[in-house]
Amino acid sequence: MAGMLATLPVTLNIPMTALAQTAAPAPTPPAELRPLLPTARLLGSGVLRFFGLRVYEARLWAAPGFQPERYAQQPFGLELTYDRKLEGGAIAERSIAEMRRVSPFSESQANQWLALMKQAFPDVAAQDRLLGLNDGQGDVRFFHNGQPTAQTRDAEYARLFFGIWLAPQTSAPALRDALLGLAR
């Protein structure tokens, strides 16, 4: 028996950390994000729940060196993969309410932004994916399952809309921390 142990290959002594590093490849950014941000990597992800039910999983894609306190001035993508059927109009209405938590804005702006979001957000079903891209200079583009739905150039809208998830005033601070890769 002792002779058999002496003939075992030395490669069995690979540290577990090396195995873990090679076992799972890094997540790949969505194709529609790559032209805007070719160096994007997954910064963090988390799940939004409402009364204990999963609504969607969110992922934040950003370049290395992303600074949370300056989110509106940096390019990134926010990807939501839905777990249930929701009406696009309801998503748009809820977005306006959540944007008001970040900072006040006029009824004129609310009406303009609501119309934009009703175009941007179709009805979704389980596994549908919405992606919002921020170029860091006020240009925002939306995609549904990889297809473009709407675009605007409005830095205030970009700050308030993405602030739903990334601003300190968010209604979901644990999700914000998860997206930013922060421990809570």
mmCIF file of all heavy atoms in Angstrom, residues 121-172:
data_model
loop_
_atom_site.group_PDB
_atom_site.id
_atom_site.type_symbol
_atom_site.label_atom_id
_atom_site.label_comp_id
_atom_site.label_asym_id
_atom_site.label_seq_id
_atom_site.Cartn_x
_atom_site.Cartn_y
_atom_site.Cartn_z
ATOM 1 N N PHE A 121 -40.086 50.328 -22.669
ATOM 2 C CA PHE A 121 -40.378 49.125 -21.894
ATOM 3 C C PHE A 121 -41.639 48.441 -22.406
ATOM 4 O O PHE A 121 -42.748 48.812 -22.023
ATOM 5 C CB PHE A 121 -40.558 49.464 -20.411
ATOM 6 C CG PHE A 121 -39.457 50.300 -19.824
ATOM 7 C CD1 PHE A 121 -39.731 51.249 -18.862
ATOM 8 C CD2 PHE A 121 -38.145 50.145 -20.223
ATOM 9 C CE1 PHE A 121 -38.729 52.027 -18.306
ATOM 10 C CE2 PHE A 121 -37.131 50.924 -19.683
ATOM 11 C CZ PHE A 121 -37.420 51.868 -18.718
ATOM 12 N N PRO A 122 -41.494 47.421 -23.216
ATOM 13 C CA PRO A 122 -42.674 46.650 -23.631
ATOM 14 C C PRO A 122 -43.136 45.757 -22.483
ATOM 15 O O PRO A 122 -42.463 45.663 -21.449
ATOM 16 C CB PRO A 122 -42.137 45.807 -24.788
ATOM 17 C CG PRO A 122 -40.685 45.633 -24.473
ATOM 18 C CD PRO A 122 -40.258 46.902 -23.778
ATOM 19 N N ASP A 123 -44.260 45.119 -22.655
ATOM 20 C CA ASP A 123 -44.667 44.106 -21.678
ATOM 21 C C ASP A 123 -43.577 43.050 -21.634
ATOM 22 O O ASP A 123 -42.993 42.693 -22.668
ATOM 23 C CB ASP A 123 -45.999 43.469 -22.083
ATOM 24 C CG ASP A 123 -47.156 44.462 -22.068
ATOM 25 O OD1 ASP A 123 -46.996 45.566 -21.517
ATOM 26 O OD2 ASP A 123 -48.218 44.126 -22.619
ATOM 27 N N VAL A 124 -43.286 42.542 -20.441
ATOM 28 C CA VAL A 124 -42.247 41.525 -20.294
ATOM 29 C C VAL A 124 -42.843 40.242 -19.721
ATOM 30 O O VAL A 124 -43.856 40.274 -19.023
ATOM 31 C CB VAL A 124 -41.074 42.010 -19.409
ATOM 32 C CG1 VAL A 124 -40.342 43.168 -20.062
ATOM 33 C CG2 VAL A 124 -41.543 42.379 -18.012
ATOM 34 N N ALA A 125 -42.179 39.154 -20.029
ATOM 35 C CA ALA A 125 -42.532 37.836 -19.496
ATOM 36 C C ALA A 125 -41.295 37.274 -18.799
ATOM 37 O O ALA A 125 -40.198 37.846 -18.892
ATOM 38 C CB ALA A 125 -42.971 36.912 -20.635
ATOM 39 N N ALA A 126 -41.455 36.160 -18.121
ATOM 40 C CA ALA A 126 -40.326 35.523 -17.440
ATOM 41 C C ALA A 126 -39.194 35.276 -18.436
ATOM 42 O O ALA A 126 -39.431 34.818 -19.554
ATOM 43 C CB ALA A 126 -40.763 34.216 -16.798
ATOM 44 N N GLN A 127 -37.985 35.619 -18.037
ATOM 45 C CA GLN A 127 -36.735 35.493 -18.783
ATOM 46 C C GLN A 127 -36.516 36.581 -19.829
ATOM 47 O O GLN A 127 -35.496 36.566 -20.522
ATOM 48 C CB GLN A 127 -36.582 34.092 -19.408
ATOM 49 C CG GLN A 127 -36.552 32.980 -18.379
ATOM 50 C CD GLN A 127 -35.515 33.247 -17.291
ATOM 51 O OE1 GLN A 127 -34.336 33.477 -17.566
ATOM 52 N NE2 GLN A 127 -35.948 33.248 -16.032
ATOM 53 N N ASP A 128 -37.467 37.520 -19.978
ATOM 54 C CA ASP A 128 -37.217 38.673 -20.837
ATOM 55 C C ASP A 128 -36.154 39.541 -20.176
ATOM 56 O O ASP A 128 -36.054 39.611 -18.952
ATOM 57 C CB ASP A 128 -38.481 39.503 -21.051
ATOM 58 C CG ASP A 128 -39.348 38.966 -22.169
ATOM 59 O OD1 ASP A 128 -38.965 37.967 -22.814
ATOM 60 O OD2 ASP A 128 -40.413 39.555 -22.414
ATOM 61 N N ARG A 129 -35.395 40.215 -21.028
ATOM 62 C CA ARG A 129 -34.267 41.010 -20.556
ATOM 63 C C ARG A 129 -34.393 42.447 -21.064
ATOM 64 O O ARG A 129 -34.590 42.673 -22.256
ATOM 65 C CB ARG A 129 -32.975 40.375 -21.071
ATOM 66 C CG ARG A 129 -31.716 40.920 -20.521
ATOM 67 C CD ARG A 129 -30.515 40.071 -20.981
ATOM 68 N NE ARG A 129 -30.422 39.972 -22.415
ATOM 69 C CZ ARG A 129 -29.808 40.854 -23.191
ATOM 70 N NH1 ARG A 129 -29.232 41.903 -22.678
ATOM 71 N NH2 ARG A 129 -29.759 40.675 -24.499
ATOM 72 N N LEU A 130 -34.302 43.406 -20.145
ATOM 73 C CA LEU A 130 -34.228 44.818 -20.496
ATOM 74 C C LEU A 130 -32.830 45.301 -20.128
ATOM 75 O O LEU A 130 -32.305 44.942 -19.067
ATOM 76 C CB LEU A 130 -35.265 45.649 -19.743
ATOM 77 C CG LEU A 130 -36.739 45.373 -20.052
ATOM 78 C CD1 LEU A 130 -37.632 46.272 -19.200
ATOM 79 C CD2 LEU A 130 -37.034 45.582 -21.529
ATOM 80 N N LEU A 131 -32.246 46.095 -21.006
ATOM 81 C CA LEU A 131 -30.912 46.631 -20.764
ATOM 82 C C LEU A 131 -30.949 48.124 -21.010
ATOM 83 O O LEU A 131 -31.440 48.580 -22.048
ATOM 84 C CB LEU A 131 -29.885 45.982 -21.704
ATOM 85 C CG LEU A 131 -28.456 46.512 -21.612
ATOM 86 C CD1 LEU A 131 -27.806 46.117 -20.297
ATOM 87 C CD2 LEU A 131 -27.626 45.999 -22.779
ATOM 88 N N GLY A 132 -30.470 48.892 -20.036
ATOM 89 C CA GLY A 132 -30.304 50.330 -20.189
ATOM 90 C C GLY A 132 -28.828 50.651 -20.230
ATOM 91 O O GLY A 132 -28.072 50.192 -19.376
ATOM 92 N N LEU A 133 -28.419 51.411 -21.246
ATOM 93 C CA LEU A 133 -27.023 51.807 -21.395
ATOM 94 C C LEU A 133 -26.888 53.303 -21.148
ATOM 95 O O LEU A 133 -27.643 54.097 -21.716
ATOM 96 C CB LEU A 133 -26.512 51.499 -22.807
ATOM 97 C CG LEU A 133 -26.554 50.063 -23.268
ATOM 98 C CD1 LEU A 133 -25.985 49.935 -24.674
ATOM 99 C CD2 LEU A 133 -25.800 49.170 -22.315
ATOM 100 N N ASN A 134 -25.937 53.672 -20.341
ATOM 101 C CA ASN A 134 -25.619 55.068 -20.063
ATOM 102 C C ASN A 134 -24.218 55.332 -20.595
ATOM 103 O O ASN A 134 -23.287 54.623 -20.219
ATOM 104 C CB ASN A 134 -25.663 55.326 -18.552
ATOM 105 C CG ASN A 134 -25.325 56.749 -18.205
ATOM 106 O OD1 ASN A 134 -25.808 57.676 -18.826
ATOM 107 N ND2 ASN A 134 -24.493 56.924 -17.194
ATOM 108 N N ASP A 135 -24.060 56.344 -21.469
ATOM 109 C CA ASP A 135 -22.725 56.617 -22.014
ATOM 110 C C ASP A 135 -21.902 57.546 -21.126
ATOM 111 O O ASP A 135 -20.746 57.828 -21.418
ATOM 112 C CB ASP A 135 -22.806 57.150 -23.442
ATOM 113 C CG ASP A 135 -23.186 58.616 -23.530
ATOM 114 O OD1 ASP A 135 -23.649 59.204 -22.532
ATOM 115 O OD2 ASP A 135 -23.034 59.191 -24.636
ATOM 116 N N GLY A 136 -22.491 58.052 -20.033
ATOM 117 C CA GLY A 136 -21.789 58.934 -19.111
ATOM 118 C C GLY A 136 -21.860 60.398 -19.495
ATOM 119 O O GLY A 136 -21.355 61.246 -18.779
ATOM 120 N N GLN A 137 -22.503 60.692 -20.643
ATOM 121 C CA GLN A 137 -22.620 62.078 -21.102
ATOM 122 C C GLN A 137 -24.072 62.447 -21.390
ATOM 123 O O GLN A 137 -24.341 63.419 -22.073
ATOM 124 C CB GLN A 137 -21.755 62.293 -22.336
ATOM 125 C CG GLN A 137 -20.287 62.071 -22.034
ATOM 126 C CD GLN A 137 -19.423 62.186 -23.271
ATOM 127 O OE1 GLN A 137 -19.903 62.301 -24.394
ATOM 128 N NE2 GLN A 137 -18.130 62.156 -23.067
ATOM 129 N N GLY A 138 -25.016 61.632 -20.905
ATOM 130 C CA GLY A 138 -26.430 61.940 -21.077
ATOM 131 C C GLY A 138 -27.146 61.123 -22.124
ATOM 132 O O GLY A 138 -28.360 61.216 -22.255
ATOM 133 N N ASP A 139 -26.430 60.317 -22.880
ATOM 134 C CA ASP A 139 -27.073 59.470 -23.888
ATOM 135 C C ASP A 139 -27.487 58.151 -23.230
ATOM 136 O O ASP A 139 -26.650 57.475 -22.627
ATOM 137 C CB ASP A 139 -26.132 59.200 -25.061
ATOM 138 C CG ASP A 139 -26.829 58.504 -26.218
ATOM 139 O OD1 ASP A 139 -27.962 58.902 -26.551
ATOM 140 O OD2 ASP A 139 -26.250 57.561 -26.784
ATOM 141 N N VAL A 140 -28.773 57.821 -23.334
ATOM 142 C CA VAL A 140 -29.313 56.595 -22.751
ATOM 143 C C VAL A 140 -29.982 55.803 -23.872
ATOM 144 O O VAL A 140 -30.763 56.347 -24.652
ATOM 145 C CB VAL A 140 -30.343 56.903 -21.644
ATOM 146 C CG1 VAL A 140 -30.953 55.622 -21.087
ATOM 147 C CG2 VAL A 140 -29.702 57.719 -20.527
ATOM 148 N N ARG A 141 -29.682 54.522 -23.924
ATOM 149 C CA ARG A 141 -30.293 53.622 -24.905
ATOM 150 C C ARG A 141 -30.900 52.442 -24.172
ATOM 151 O O ARG A 141 -30.331 51.939 -23.206
ATOM 152 C CB ARG A 141 -29.247 53.104 -25.891
ATOM 153 C CG ARG A 141 -28.590 54.173 -26.689
ATOM 154 C CD ARG A 141 -27.544 53.590 -27.609
ATOM 155 N NE ARG A 141 -26.674 54.670 -28.046
ATOM 156 C CZ ARG A 141 -25.497 54.486 -28.568
ATOM 157 N NH1 ARG A 141 -25.022 53.258 -28.740
ATOM 158 N NH2 ARG A 141 -24.773 55.510 -28.936
ATOM 159 N N PHE A 142 -32.056 51.996 -24.671
ATOM 160 C CA PHE A 142 -32.742 50.851 -24.071
ATOM 161 C C PHE A 142 -32.878 49.721 -25.094
ATOM 162 O O PHE A 142 -33.089 49.976 -26.284
ATOM 163 C CB PHE A 142 -34.139 51.260 -23.580
ATOM 164 C CG PHE A 142 -34.105 52.188 -22.406
ATOM 165 C CD1 PHE A 142 -34.385 53.540 -22.559
ATOM 166 C CD2 PHE A 142 -33.778 51.717 -21.136
ATOM 167 C CE1 PHE A 142 -34.353 54.399 -21.474
ATOM 168 C CE2 PHE A 142 -33.747 52.576 -20.050
ATOM 169 C CZ PHE A 142 -34.032 53.918 -20.214
ATOM 170 N N PHE A 143 -32.798 48.484 -24.580
ATOM 171 C CA PHE A 143 -32.931 47.284 -25.400
ATOM 172 C C PHE A 143 -33.852 46.298 -24.697
ATOM 173 O O PHE A 143 -33.827 46.198 -23.471
ATOM 174 C CB PHE A 143 -31.563 46.619 -25.596
ATOM 175 C CG PHE A 143 -30.577 47.464 -26.350
ATOM 176 C CD1 PHE A 143 -29.850 48.453 -25.707
ATOM 177 C CD2 PHE A 143 -30.376 47.267 -27.705
ATOM 178 C CE1 PHE A 143 -28.940 49.242 -26.388
ATOM 179 C CE2 PHE A 143 -29.464 48.044 -28.411
ATOM 180 C CZ PHE A 143 -28.747 49.030 -27.753
ATOM 181 N N HIS A 144 -34.633 45.577 -25.474
ATOM 182 C CA HIS A 144 -35.480 44.491 -24.976
ATOM 183 C C HIS A 144 -35.041 43.231 -25.697
ATOM 184 O O HIS A 144 -35.132 43.150 -26.927
ATOM 185 C CB HIS A 144 -36.958 44.792 -25.249
ATOM 186 C CG HIS A 144 -37.868 43.664 -24.933
ATOM 187 N ND1 HIS A 144 -38.575 42.984 -25.901
ATOM 188 C CD2 HIS A 144 -38.180 43.071 -23.758
ATOM 189 C CE1 HIS A 144 -39.292 42.043 -25.337
ATOM 190 N NE2 HIS A 144 -39.059 42.073 -24.028
ATOM 191 N N ASN A 145 -34.526 42.273 -24.950
ATOM 192 C CA ASN A 145 -34.020 41.012 -25.519
ATOM 193 C C ASN A 145 -33.069 41.267 -26.680
ATOM 194 O O ASN A 145 -33.114 40.591 -27.711
ATOM 195 C CB ASN A 145 -35.169 40.104 -25.938
ATOM 196 C CG ASN A 145 -35.971 39.624 -24.754
ATOM 197 O OD1 ASN A 145 -35.449 39.483 -23.644
ATOM 198 N ND2 ASN A 145 -37.249 39.384 -24.959
ATOM 199 N N GLY A 146 -32.195 42.273 -26.521
ATOM 200 C CA GLY A 146 -31.170 42.573 -27.511
ATOM 201 C C GLY A 146 -31.593 43.512 -28.621
ATOM 202 O O GLY A 146 -30.757 43.945 -29.406
ATOM 203 N N GLN A 147 -32.871 43.858 -28.698
ATOM 204 C CA GLN A 147 -33.371 44.738 -29.755
ATOM 205 C C GLN A 147 -33.575 46.153 -29.214
ATOM 206 O O GLN A 147 -34.165 46.328 -28.149
ATOM 207 C CB GLN A 147 -34.699 44.206 -30.312
ATOM 208 C CG GLN A 147 -34.592 42.828 -30.926
ATOM 209 C CD GLN A 147 -33.580 42.789 -32.067
ATOM 210 O OE1 GLN A 147 -33.628 43.610 -32.967
ATOM 211 N NE2 GLN A 147 -32.664 41.834 -31.999
ATOM 212 N N PRO A 148 -33.114 47.197 -29.946
ATOM 213 C CA PRO A 148 -33.293 48.565 -29.463
ATOM 214 C C PRO A 148 -34.768 48.953 -29.398
ATOM 215 O O PRO A 148 -35.563 48.575 -30.267
ATOM 216 C CB PRO A 148 -32.551 49.416 -30.495
ATOM 217 C CG PRO A 148 -32.350 48.550 -31.682
ATOM 218 C CD PRO A 148 -32.445 47.124 -31.237
ATOM 219 N N THR A 149 -35.126 49.690 -28.336
ATOM 220 C CA THR A 149 -36.515 50.132 -28.169
ATOM 221 C C THR A 149 -36.637 51.648 -28.094
ATOM 222 O O THR A 149 -37.634 52.201 -28.552
ATOM 223 C CB THR A 149 -37.139 49.535 -26.895
ATOM 224 O OG1 THR A 149 -36.352 49.921 -25.770
ATOM 225 C CG2 THR A 149 -37.254 48.018 -26.987
ATOM 226 N N ALA A 150 -35.657 52.336 -27.497
ATOM 227 C CA ALA A 150 -35.744 53.793 -27.349
ATOM 228 C C ALA A 150 -34.365 54.349 -27.028
ATOM 229 O O ALA A 150 -33.475 53.629 -26.578
ATOM 230 C CB ALA A 150 -36.733 54.160 -26.252
ATOM 231 N N GLN A 151 -34.242 55.666 -27.253
ATOM 232 C CA GLN A 151 -32.989 56.370 -26.977
ATOM 233 C C GLN A 151 -33.317 57.817 -26.659
ATOM 234 O O GLN A 151 -34.267 58.380 -27.211
ATOM 235 C CB GLN A 151 -32.070 56.298 -28.198
ATOM 236 C CG GLN A 151 -30.737 56.958 -28.011
ATOM 237 C CD GLN A 151 -29.807 56.733 -29.195
ATOM 238 O OE1 GLN A 151 -30.107 55.950 -30.089
ATOM 239 N NE2 GLN A 151 -28.680 57.408 -29.187
ATOM 240 N N THR A 152 -32.533 58.417 -25.766
ATOM 241 C CA THR A 152 -32.681 59.840 -25.459
ATOM 242 C C THR A 152 -31.322 60.415 -25.102
ATOM 243 O O THR A 152 -30.424 59.676 -24.689
ATOM 244 C CB THR A 152 -33.684 60.081 -24.309
ATOM 245 O OG1 THR A 152 -33.938 61.479 -24.192
ATOM 246 C CG2 THR A 152 -33.183 59.545 -22.983
ATOM 247 N N ARG A 153 -31.205 61.710 -25.271
ATOM 248 C CA ARG A 153 -30.005 62.421 -24.816
ATOM 249 C C ARG A 153 -30.483 63.433 -23.786
ATOM 250 O O ARG A 153 -30.961 64.511 -24.135
ATOM 251 C CB ARG A 153 -29.294 63.100 -25.973
ATOM 252 C CG ARG A 153 -28.018 63.781 -25.551
ATOM 253 C CD ARG A 153 -26.936 63.599 -26.608
ATOM 254 N NE ARG A 153 -25.655 64.096 -26.163
ATOM 255 C CZ ARG A 153 -24.724 63.345 -25.585
ATOM 256 N NH1 ARG A 153 -24.935 62.070 -25.383
ATOM 257 N NH2 ARG A 153 -23.582 63.855 -25.207
ATOM 258 N N ASP A 154 -30.355 63.071 -22.511
ATOM 259 C CA ASP A 154 -30.870 63.887 -21.421
ATOM 260 C C ASP A 154 -30.132 63.473 -20.147
ATOM 261 O O ASP A 154 -30.458 62.448 -19.531
ATOM 262 C CB ASP A 154 -32.382 63.670 -21.294
ATOM 263 C CG ASP A 154 -33.041 64.534 -20.242
ATOM 264 O OD1 ASP A 154 -32.354 64.997 -19.304
ATOM 265 O OD2 ASP A 154 -34.262 64.727 -20.342
ATOM 266 N N ALA A 155 -29.131 64.267 -19.768
ATOM 267 C CA ALA A 155 -28.289 63.918 -18.616
ATOM 268 C C ALA A 155 -29.081 63.849 -17.314
ATOM 269 O O ALA A 155 -28.800 63.003 -16.456
ATOM 270 C CB ALA A 155 -27.138 64.913 -18.490
ATOM 271 N N GLU A 156 -30.091 64.718 -17.160
ATOM 272 C CA GLU A 156 -30.894 64.693 -15.933
ATOM 273 C C GLU A 156 -31.729 63.408 -15.860
ATOM 274 O O GLU A 156 -31.837 62.777 -14.812
ATOM 275 C CB GLU A 156 -31.793 65.939 -15.855
ATOM 276 C CG GLU A 156 -32.588 66.030 -14.575
ATOM 277 C CD GLU A 156 -31.753 66.283 -13.325
ATOM 278 O OE1 GLU A 156 -30.508 66.338 -13.386
ATOM 279 O OE2 GLU A 156 -32.364 66.419 -12.253
ATOM 280 N N TYR A 157 -32.303 63.020 -16.987
ATOM 281 C CA TYR A 157 -33.036 61.761 -17.030
ATOM 282 C C TYR A 157 -32.103 60.599 -16.684
ATOM 283 O O TYR A 157 -32.455 59.736 -15.876
ATOM 284 C CB TYR A 157 -33.678 61.538 -18.405
ATOM 285 C CG TYR A 157 -34.263 60.161 -18.526
ATOM 286 C CD1 TYR A 157 -35.490 59.870 -17.942
ATOM 287 C CD2 TYR A 157 -33.573 59.143 -19.173
ATOM 288 C CE1 TYR A 157 -36.019 58.586 -18.018
ATOM 289 C CE2 TYR A 157 -34.094 57.862 -19.247
ATOM 290 C CZ TYR A 157 -35.316 57.588 -18.667
ATOM 291 O OH TYR A 157 -35.827 56.313 -18.732
ATOM 292 N N ALA A 158 -30.915 60.575 -17.291
ATOM 293 C CA ALA A 158 -29.963 59.488 -17.030
ATOM 294 C C ALA A 158 -29.643 59.397 -15.538
ATOM 295 O O ALA A 158 -29.653 58.312 -14.953
ATOM 296 C CB ALA A 158 -28.688 59.694 -17.841
ATOM 297 N N ARG A 159 -29.377 60.544 -14.917
ATOM 298 C CA ARG A 159 -29.035 60.554 -13.489
ATOM 299 C C ARG A 159 -30.187 60.021 -12.635
ATOM 300 O O ARG A 159 -29.991 59.189 -11.742
ATOM 301 C CB ARG A 159 -28.676 61.979 -13.054
ATOM 302 C CG ARG A 159 -28.266 62.096 -11.588
ATOM 303 C CD ARG A 159 -27.950 63.534 -11.212
ATOM 304 N NE ARG A 159 -29.134 64.366 -11.118
ATOM 305 C CZ ARG A 159 -29.923 64.431 -10.043
ATOM 306 N NH1 ARG A 159 -29.664 63.693 -8.985
ATOM 307 N NH2 ARG A 159 -30.976 65.217 -10.042
ATOM 308 N N LEU A 160 -31.394 60.490 -12.928
ATOM 309 C CA LEU A 160 -32.545 60.099 -12.112
ATOM 310 C C LEU A 160 -32.978 58.661 -12.396
ATOM 311 O O LEU A 160 -33.295 57.905 -11.470
ATOM 312 C CB LEU A 160 -33.705 61.056 -12.342
ATOM 313 C CG LEU A 160 -33.449 62.499 -11.898
ATOM 314 C CD1 LEU A 160 -34.601 63.399 -12.313
ATOM 315 C CD2 LEU A 160 -33.200 62.573 -10.410
ATOM 316 N N PHE A 161 -33.007 58.278 -13.665
ATOM 317 C CA PHE A 161 -33.456 56.919 -13.986
ATOM 318 C C PHE A 161 -32.498 55.874 -13.396
ATOM 319 O O PHE A 161 -32.927 54.970 -12.678
ATOM 320 C CB PHE A 161 -33.588 56.714 -15.502
ATOM 321 C CG PHE A 161 -33.954 55.301 -15.837
ATOM 322 C CD1 PHE A 161 -35.249 54.847 -15.626
ATOM 323 C CD2 PHE A 161 -33.003 54.408 -16.304
ATOM 324 C CE1 PHE A 161 -35.584 53.516 -15.889
ATOM 325 C CE2 PHE A 161 -33.332 53.085 -16.570
ATOM 326 C CZ PHE A 161 -34.632 52.644 -16.365
ATOM 327 N N PHE A 162 -31.218 55.985 -13.674
ATOM 328 C CA PHE A 162 -30.285 54.993 -13.143
ATOM 329 C C PHE A 162 -30.099 55.143 -11.635
ATOM 330 O O PHE A 162 -29.695 54.200 -10.953
ATOM 331 C CB PHE A 162 -28.960 55.041 -13.903
ATOM 332 C CG PHE A 162 -29.091 54.539 -15.313
ATOM 333 C CD1 PHE A 162 -28.966 55.413 -16.379
ATOM 334 C CD2 PHE A 162 -29.369 53.212 -15.585
ATOM 335 C CE1 PHE A 162 -29.100 54.967 -17.683
ATOM 336 C CE2 PHE A 162 -29.509 52.746 -16.883
ATOM 337 C CZ PHE A 162 -29.376 53.626 -17.937
ATOM 338 N N GLY A 163 -30.455 56.321 -11.110
ATOM 339 C CA GLY A 163 -30.447 56.520 -9.669
ATOM 340 C C GLY A 163 -31.453 55.644 -8.941
ATOM 341 O O GLY A 163 -31.320 55.409 -7.734
ATOM 342 N N ILE A 164 -32.463 55.142 -9.664
ATOM 343 C CA ILE A 164 -33.407 54.191 -9.060
ATOM 344 C C ILE A 164 -32.627 53.058 -8.391
ATOM 345 O O ILE A 164 -32.989 52.589 -7.314
ATOM 346 C CB ILE A 164 -34.379 53.627 -10.121
ATOM 347 C CG1 ILE A 164 -35.312 54.724 -10.643
ATOM 348 C CG2 ILE A 164 -35.170 52.442 -9.574
ATOM 349 C CD1 ILE A 164 -36.142 54.304 -11.857
ATOM 350 N N TRP A 165 -31.544 52.626 -9.015
ATOM 351 C CA TRP A 165 -30.742 51.517 -8.496
ATOM 352 C C TRP A 165 -29.444 51.977 -7.858
ATOM 353 O O TRP A 165 -28.952 51.329 -6.940
ATOM 354 C CB TRP A 165 -30.411 50.536 -9.630
ATOM 355 C CG TRP A 165 -31.608 49.897 -10.212
ATOM 356 C CD1 TRP A 165 -32.212 48.729 -9.795
ATOM 357 C CD2 TRP A 165 -32.399 50.395 -11.297
ATOM 358 N NE1 TRP A 165 -33.322 48.487 -10.570
ATOM 359 C CE2 TRP A 165 -33.465 49.486 -11.489
ATOM 360 C CE3 TRP A 165 -32.318 51.512 -12.109
ATOM 361 C CZ2 TRP A 165 -34.424 49.658 -12.477
ATOM 362 C CZ3 TRP A 165 -33.273 51.699 -13.102
ATOM 363 C CH2 TRP A 165 -34.313 50.774 -13.270
ATOM 364 N N LEU A 166 -28.859 53.081 -8.358
ATOM 365 C CA LEU A 166 -27.486 53.420 -7.987
ATOM 366 C C LEU A 166 -27.339 54.615 -7.043
ATOM 367 O O LEU A 166 -26.273 54.807 -6.469
ATOM 368 C CB LEU A 166 -26.661 53.666 -9.260
ATOM 369 C CG LEU A 166 -26.613 52.480 -10.220
ATOM 370 C CD1 LEU A 166 -25.833 52.842 -11.481
ATOM 371 C CD2 LEU A 166 -26.034 51.243 -9.552
ATOM 372 N N ALA A 167 -28.368 55.424 -6.881
ATOM 373 C CA ALA A 167 -28.284 56.582 -5.983
ATOM 374 C C ALA A 167 -28.442 56.141 -4.527
ATOM 375 O O ALA A 167 -29.147 55.168 -4.239
ATOM 376 C CB ALA A 167 -29.361 57.608 -6.332
ATOM 377 N N PRO A 168 -27.825 56.854 -3.605
ATOM 378 C CA PRO A 168 -28.008 56.528 -2.183
ATOM 379 C C PRO A 168 -29.473 56.587 -1.738
ATOM 380 O O PRO A 168 -29.852 55.911 -0.789
ATOM 381 C CB PRO A 168 -27.170 57.596 -1.467
ATOM 382 C CG PRO A 168 -26.153 58.027 -2.474
ATOM 383 C CD PRO A 168 -26.834 57.923 -3.812
ATOM 384 N N GLN A 169 -30.323 57.343 -2.436
ATOM 385 C CA GLN A 169 -31.731 57.485 -2.067
ATOM 386 C C GLN A 169 -32.605 56.333 -2.578
ATOM 387 O O GLN A 169 -33.820 56.365 -2.435
ATOM 388 C CB GLN A 169 -32.304 58.796 -2.642
ATOM 389 C CG GLN A 169 -31.584 60.033 -2.214
ATOM 390 C CD GLN A 169 -30.423 60.403 -3.137
ATOM 391 O OE1 GLN A 169 -29.830 59.578 -3.814
ATOM 392 N NE2 GLN A 169 -30.072 61.674 -3.136
ATOM 393 N N THR A 170 -32.029 55.313 -3.159
ATOM 394 C CA THR A 170 -32.802 54.192 -3.702
ATOM 395 C C THR A 170 -33.732 53.582 -2.652
ATOM 396 O O THR A 170 -33.433 53.606 -1.458
ATOM 397 C CB THR A 170 -31.866 53.100 -4.257
ATOM 398 O OG1 THR A 170 -32.660 52.046 -4.812
ATOM 399 C CG2 THR A 170 -30.964 52.513 -3.180
ATOM 400 N N SER A 171 -34.836 53.019 -3.110
ATOM 401 C CA SER A 171 -35.743 52.314 -2.198
ATOM 402 C C SER A 171 -35.266 50.882 -1.929
ATOM 403 O O SER A 171 -35.869 50.186 -1.121
ATOM 404 C CB SER A 171 -37.159 52.301 -2.775
ATOM 405 O OG SER A 171 -37.189 51.567 -3.978
ATOM 406 N N ALA A 172 -34.191 50.463 -2.599
ATOM 407 C CA ALA A 172 -33.649 49.105 -2.437
ATOM 408 C C ALA A 172 -32.144 49.178 -2.140
ATOM 409 O O ALA A 172 -31.319 48.823 -2.989
ATOM 410 C CB ALA A 172 -33.928 48.282 -3.693
#
